[in-house]
Amino acid sequence: MIEVGRICVKTAGRDAGMKCVVVDVLDKNFVLVDGETRRRKCNISHLEPLDRTVEVRKGASHAEVAKLFESLG
C-alpha cells in the first residue's frame, strides 16, 4: 500500500494534518516523506495513505516535490 508516489496525511507529530508524498521506502517501517511537511524519515504508522498517487521518481528533490504539490493545488 505504501509505495513511492503515494500521497498521505501525517497523523502524528508537529506536521500532523499536513499532506505529504512518499519519496523513498527505507524499510518495512519507515519511509522518506516530503511536501507540505518537512522532508524527513517517517514511521508508516504515523501516516494515513490516501487513494491518490502521483508520478515522482524515487529520491526526488524538494524542488520537484514542491512543484508537484503546486500543480495539484
Side-chain angles (χ1 to χ4, degrees), residues 4-70:
V4 174
R6 174 70 59 186
I7 296 179
C8 302
V9 175
K10 291 269 301 196
T11 59
R14 188 165 110 181
D15 297 327
M18 295 184 182
K19 291 184 181 174
C20 59
V21 65
V22 176
V23 178
D24 194 5
V25 178
L26 304 175
D27 62 25
K28 67 177 188 166
N29 293 321
F30 292 96
V31 294
L32 181 68
V33 296
D34 197 359
E36 293 177 351
T37 64
R38 297 169 290 156
R39 182 182 187 100
R40 64 180 314 157
K41 178 179 167 181
C42 180
N43 192 323
I44 291 174
S45 65
H46 296 166
L47 295 174
E48 180 67 36
L50 301 178
D51 58 348
R52 291 191 64 188
T53 59
V54 293
E55 286 295 321
V56 63
R57 67 179 174 82
K58 183 176 179 176
S61 70
H62 177 73
E64 292 173 313
V65 175
K67 185 184 287 187
L68 179 71
F69 264 85
E70 188 176 299

